């Protein structure tokens, strides 16, 4: 049984295979070629964390693939509340053909996969955001023509995005530099993984040092969902960790900017830099649809 729980589970070859499929499905969509590969199949979408892009992209993706997506909100689901995750996995396995879950705890996703008998997709946890990073990689390859040998730079919180970017970039042959405050570093499991890649991975608390000669700079909001009470503390901690003109000046000529959205202009990125790279950022947002369709086909075909 194949699942999509975290990029740590996937090889370079598997990641590239999904990206190639995403490109193919995107081209077919642009050319008006229907591709009902998952006709008659149903995806259960469990949202313990809300999201505009995740819901719309997965629901639209299943429709374009000929299948059906069933939205289950935190108010509708009993998972982890009145019913053990193990039992939810067993029940849904008898109703639907796949599960996408957007939640807090990575272990909840892993448990669904362990006890269910259908594919499980991680739509986001506090540990990682693999679907978003697949869209990032697809977008970078579209604009740069390759992934191997490029340098990525991530500025900001060492959160789920940082964790998945480190793994995804290193696995496809990129190097990556991370700049984050010392109190907000990526997960130790990811740092242990990255240590095997030597100087292809660098971590610092000096943003310009990380951004030097970068081909693509990426960031995320300073306070993610569930961290709103820490907003003021985080604003203080991340002062200086902004993508702005001064930081972009040390990157490579033609450097891209990516943001997983929603963006808080004036915090993690200036309005000027965002607007200058808006086409790249919204290509990235669109590619959530195509990358996730490829993941769905990869698992559920």
């Amino acid at each position: 049984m194949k699942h999509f729980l975290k990029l740590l589970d996937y090889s370079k070859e598997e990641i590239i295979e999904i990206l190639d499929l995403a490109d193919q499905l995107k081209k077919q969509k642009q050319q008006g070629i229907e591709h009902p590969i998952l006709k008659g199949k149903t995806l259960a979408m469990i949202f313990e964390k809300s999201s505009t892009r995740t819901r719309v992209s997965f629901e639209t993706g299943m429709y374009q693939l000929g299948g059906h997506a069933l939205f289950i909100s935190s108010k509708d689901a009993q998972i982890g509340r009145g019913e053990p995750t193990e039992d939810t996995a067993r029940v849904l396995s008898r109703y639907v053909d796949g599960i996408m879950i957007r939640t807090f705890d990575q272990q909840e996703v892993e448990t669904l996969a362990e006890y269910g008998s259908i594919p499980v997709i991680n739509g986001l946890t506090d540990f990682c955001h693999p679907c978003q990073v697949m869209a990032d990689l697809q977008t970078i390859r579209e604009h740069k023509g390759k992934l191997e040998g490029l340098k990525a730079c991530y500025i900001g919180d060492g959160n789920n995005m940082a964790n998945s970017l480190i793994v995804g970039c290193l696995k496809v042959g990129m190097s990556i530099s991370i700049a984050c405050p010392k109190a907000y570093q990526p997960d130790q499991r990811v740092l242990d993984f990255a240590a095997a890649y030597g100087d292809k991975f660098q971590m610092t608390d000096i943003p310009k040092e990380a951004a030097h000669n970068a081909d693509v700079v990426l960031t995320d909001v300073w306070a993610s969902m569930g961290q709103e009470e820490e907003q003021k503390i985080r604003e203080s901690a991340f002062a200086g960790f902004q993508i702005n003109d001064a930081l972009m000046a040390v990157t490579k000529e033609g450097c891209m900017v990516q943001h997983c959205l929603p963006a808080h202009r004036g915090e993690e990125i200036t309005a000027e830099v965002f607007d200058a790279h808006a086409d790249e950022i919204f290509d990235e947002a669109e590619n959530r649809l195509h990358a996730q369709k490829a993941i769905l086909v990869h698992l559920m075909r």
Side-chain angles (χ1 to χ4, degrees):
M1 178 62 59
K2 294 184 293 185
H3 303 286
F4 194 75
L5 310 181
K6 55 188 182 296
L7 291 179
L8 286 167
D9 299 333
Y10 272 68
S11 66
K12 174 181 180 179
E13 292 73 24
E14 289 171 322
I15 293 171
I16 296 298
E17 179 184 341
I18 294 173
L19 292 176
D20 289 345
L21 178 56
D23 288 345
Q24 177 187 332
L25 293 170
K26 182 174 183 177
K27 186 174 182 180
Q28 289 178 347
K29 177 67 172 63
Q30 291 171 336
Q31 295 175 344
I33 300 172
E34 294 186 359
H35 39 267
I37 304 168
L38 299 183
K39 183 178 180 180
K41 301 217 170 167
T42 299
L43 175 73
M45 305 188 305
I46 302 173
F47 283 84
E48 296 186 334
K49 279 188 174 183
S50 61
S51 170
T52 301
R53 278 157 293 279
T54 300
R55 178 176 179 180
V56 174
S57 55
F58 268 108
E59 197 160 329
T60 301
M62 277 300 290
Y63 175 79
Q64 292 178 2
L65 291 168
H68 173 68
L70 178 64
F71 174 73
I72 305 172
S73 73
S74 58
K75 296 178 181 178
D76 302 320
Q78 292 176 303
I79 183 171
R81 294 188 295 121
E83 181 172 62
T85 303
E86 297 92 319
D87 291 356
T88 297
R90 294 182 178 111
V91 170
L92 289 180
S93 294
R94 297 183 179 226
Y95 293 154
V96 300
D97 303 286
I99 299 169
M100 187 286 299
I101 181 167
R102 183 179 168 94
T103 188
F104 295 88
D105 187 3
Q106 178 71 20
Q107 187 55 52
E108 186 171 12
V109 178
E110 303 279 349
T111 300
L112 277 174
E114 179 182 356
Y115 286 90
S117 55
I118 55 176
V120 175
I121 298 170
N122 179 356
L124 173 141
T125 63
D126 289 345
F127 174 62
C128 62
H129 199 354
C131 290
Q132 176 65 56
V133 170
M134 291 298 288
D136 295 342
L137 295 175
Q138 182 183 8
T139 310
I140 294 166
R141 192 170 70 165
E142 281 181 348
H143 283 260
K144 296 294 185 181
K146 64 176 184 177
L147 292 171
E148 190 90 33
L150 295 180
K151 177 183 176 180
C153 166
Y154 176 85
I155 307 290
D157 188 11
N159 59 9
N160 48 13
M161 272 300 301
N163 290 334
S164 288
L165 276 169
I166 292 168
V167 176
C169 288
L170 291 175
K171 285 206 170 189
V172 299
M174 300 174 69
S175 62
I176 181 165
S177 297
I178 299 288
C180 55
K182 291 180 180 179
Y184 295 90
Q185 293 182 352
D187 190 278
Q188 189 60 48
R189 290 167 289 179
V190 172
L191 297 180
D192 291 342
F193 163 83
Y197 286 82
D199 61 6
K200 283 198 166 187
F201 173 71
Q202 295 179 338
M203 185 168 65
T204 178
D205 58 356
I206 304 172
K208 284 188 178 180
E209 183 179 301
H212 181 68
N213 279 338
D215 295 287
V216 55
V217 175
L218 306 98
T219 191
D220 192 8
V221 294
W222 290 343
S224 300
M225 190 177 302
Q227 298 171 333
E228 291 82 3
E229 292 183 1
E230 305 173 31
Q231 181 71 30
K232 294 299 182 184
I233 297 173
R234 285 174 168 266
E235 285 178 5
S236 175
F238 289 102
F241 288 82
Q242 183 187 70
I243 299 182
N244 51 35
D245 288 338
L247 182 127
M248 294 302 296
V250 305
T251 65
K252 196 173 292 184
E253 184 177 357
C255 179
M256 294 174 63
V257 172
Q258 299 278 265
H259 193 305
C260 61
L261 302 178
H264 294 170
R265 294 163 178 79
E267 292 184 9
E268 73 277 359
I269 188 169
T270 63
E272 293 76 16
V273 172
F274 186 96
D275 290 340
H277 295 271
D279 287 346
E280 300 159 3
I281 293 169
F282 289 106
D283 283 347
E284 172 193 16
E286 177 190 341
N287 283 339
R288 283 289 299 276
L289 171 65
H290 309 299
Q292 287 164 184
K293 284 170 65 177
I295 294 166
L296 289 165
V297 172
H298 172 74
L299 297 178
M300 296 172 62
R301 176 164 44 189

